Amino acid sequence: MTHPLLDLPPLTAERFASIEQGVADLLSTRQDVVITQGEALLPLEGCIRSGARPGSTALNVVTGPYGTTFGNWLRDCGATVVDLQVPFDTAVTAAQVAGALAADPEIDFVSLVHAEAATGNTNPVAAIGEVVREHGALFMLDAVASVGAEPLLPDAWGVDLCVIGAQKAMGGPAGVSAVSVSDRAWARFAENPAAPRRSYLSLLDWKERWIDGGRKALLHAPAQLEMLALEACLDRIAAEGLPAVAARHAAAAAATRAGAQALGLAPYVGRVEEAAPVATTLRVAEASLVAAKALAADPSVPLAAGGGALAREMLRVNHYGPAASLGVVRDCLGALAAALSAPAGAADAAVSAAESAWADTLR
């Protein structure tokens, strides 16, 4: 008995390359794109272990929990690490990055997260890319949460390594990811004797055996279901139109923010221009308890307390991919109103505020 998800013909190199080109088109990049067969931490670690080494000095911008992870990897590679940490309820500025670069001319690698889904902030990559390019450092960007939800132009912004994943705004699975790699980055990797080789972390293997070989023979059997899902994500984004997908995420963020404020909840990220379109974070006392009550009222809503210490003060509403919809926002506000034991009519007022913000954003 055949099964539509199990009895599939092998994924050909030609189709793999076609999906790869789809990712390049999504990023509007002429750089090489490597699709990696795992969650986005795979290419992120691969980029750091290929680009950093003893003697390197890295500026690691920390605006959320992933920055801490990147710093640990950079130190493990023997690099000297300068952490530029800002409060998680704000964004870093290009002036802060420029100041850090000016204070340490030896910095040759910069790591940054674009949108922090865990904390709800987003960083001004275009302006930061300009100062990094002027300094001459290699620039790695974690764009896993931002791709599809807000503008992302690695070539125009001077990003040498742009890592994306399918599981957020693209609406796909977590088991496949990709990275665009500039010529400068390839040269840095090739000069690094400690860069991974014959390893799942090796990007140079993909360069030499796949890209330079004319994309004719895959290195190993790809994760077929995840690759087909990535292809479906790209097709769905193309059908809706990338600007429309980003506008929908912006509308969901504005609607959630407006509705939550109508319930008397303050946003965790104070300045709206620094708030990510994939998740709205809120200042809520005993956030883990409130999240549990909200999920008891409606188990389907994408609500969660913040991780670690943030569980005491931050609640996150995830509105990305298919969840970037007015219906999901309405459901989240209803569940929050129930969890907070809001007075009669509060939920309706919150939904009305959300609907107005949604319409205004898409106007």
Side-chain angles (χ1 to χ4, degrees):
M1 178 172 151
T2 60
H3 191 287
L5 297 181
L6 300 177
D7 302 309
L8 296 168
L11 192 75
T12 64
E14 181 180 13
R15 190 164 185 183
F16 191 103
S18 173
I19 299 170
E20 203 173 58
Q21 183 59 52
V23 173
D25 292 342
L26 179 69
L27 297 177
S28 298
T29 183
R30 293 187 174 184
Q31 298 177 357
D32 290 326
V33 167
V34 177
I35 296 178
T36 43
Q37 305 295 288
E39 202 270 338
L41 286 174
L42 172 65
L44 286 165
E45 184 174 359
C47 287
I48 286 176
R49 295 196 180 278
S50 297
R53 59 181 175 180
S56 297
T57 301
L59 176 64
N60 180 47
V61 183
V62 184
T63 59
Y66 284 108
T68 302
T69 299
F70 299 163
N72 291 338
W73 285 339
L74 287 161
R75 290 181 178 90
D76 190 52
C77 291
T80 299
V81 180
V82 178
D83 285 319
L84 172 57
Q85 182 162 345
V86 301
F88 288 178
D89 59 356
T90 188
V92 72
T93 67
Q96 288 173 309
V97 174
L101 293 171
D104 197 334
E106 299 301 313
I107 290 170
D108 58 10
F109 190 98
V110 175
S111 54
L112 173 72
V113 177
H114 189 181
E116 293 272 10
T119 53
N121 60 40
T122 192
N123 293 302
V125 180
I128 291 170
E130 186 174 340
V131 300
V132 173
R133 181 167 47 213
E134 183 177 341
H135 182 84
L138 207 67
F139 187 16
M140 184 191 86
L141 183 68
D142 173 348
V144 174
S146 59
V147 61
E150 57 185 299
L152 177 60
L153 299 167
D155 290 14
W157 296 348
V159 177
D160 294 289
L161 297 160
C162 183
V163 176
I164 68 167
Q167 70 267 34
K168 293 286 195 301
M170 293 182 71
V176 65
S177 49
V179 55
S180 63
V181 186
S182 73
D183 290 341
R184 287 189 342 126
W186 284 131
R188 172 77 71 87
F189 294 176
E191 293 167 358
N192 182 3
R197 303 305 300 268
R198 301 298 182 264
S199 162
Y200 217 56
L201 289 172
S202 178
L203 294 169
L204 280 173
D205 286 357
W206 281 97
K207 165 70 169 164
E208 295 177 1
R209 298 168 58 193
W210 169 249
I211 296 171
D212 292 349
R215 296 180 171 86
K216 294 178 180 177
L218 291 164
L219 273 64
H220 46 70
Q224 178 146 317
L225 293 177
E226 286 77 8
M227 288 296 296
L228 295 176
L230 175 59
E231 183 179 52
C233 289
L234 294 168
D235 289 344
R236 186 163 62 181
I237 291 170
E240 184 176 354
L242 183 57
V245 175
R248 178 164 52 79
H249 282 80
T256 304
R257 193 178 182 95
Q261 288 176 312
L263 286 174
L265 297 174
Y268 182 75
V269 178
R271 300 179 62 186
V272 67
E273 63 270 24
E274 295 179 348
V278 290
T280 296
T281 47
L282 305 167
R283 291 192 183 277
V284 179
E286 298 185 50
S288 57
L289 178 60
V290 173
K293 289 181 177 179
L295 289 168
D298 185 347
S300 70
V301 294
L303 289 170
L310 291 175
R312 295 192 296 269
E313 62 174 342
M314 189 191 83
L315 186 143
R316 186 175 74 245
V317 181
N318 296 317
H319 38 69
Y320 51 73
S325 74
L326 183 55
V328 169
V329 173
R330 288 192 190 107
D331 291 344
C332 288
L333 294 171
L336 277 174
L340 296 167
S341 300
D348 289 341
V351 167
S352 178
E355 290 172 343
S356 294
W358 179 280
D360 289 345
T361 305
L362 293 181
R363 185 169 296 152

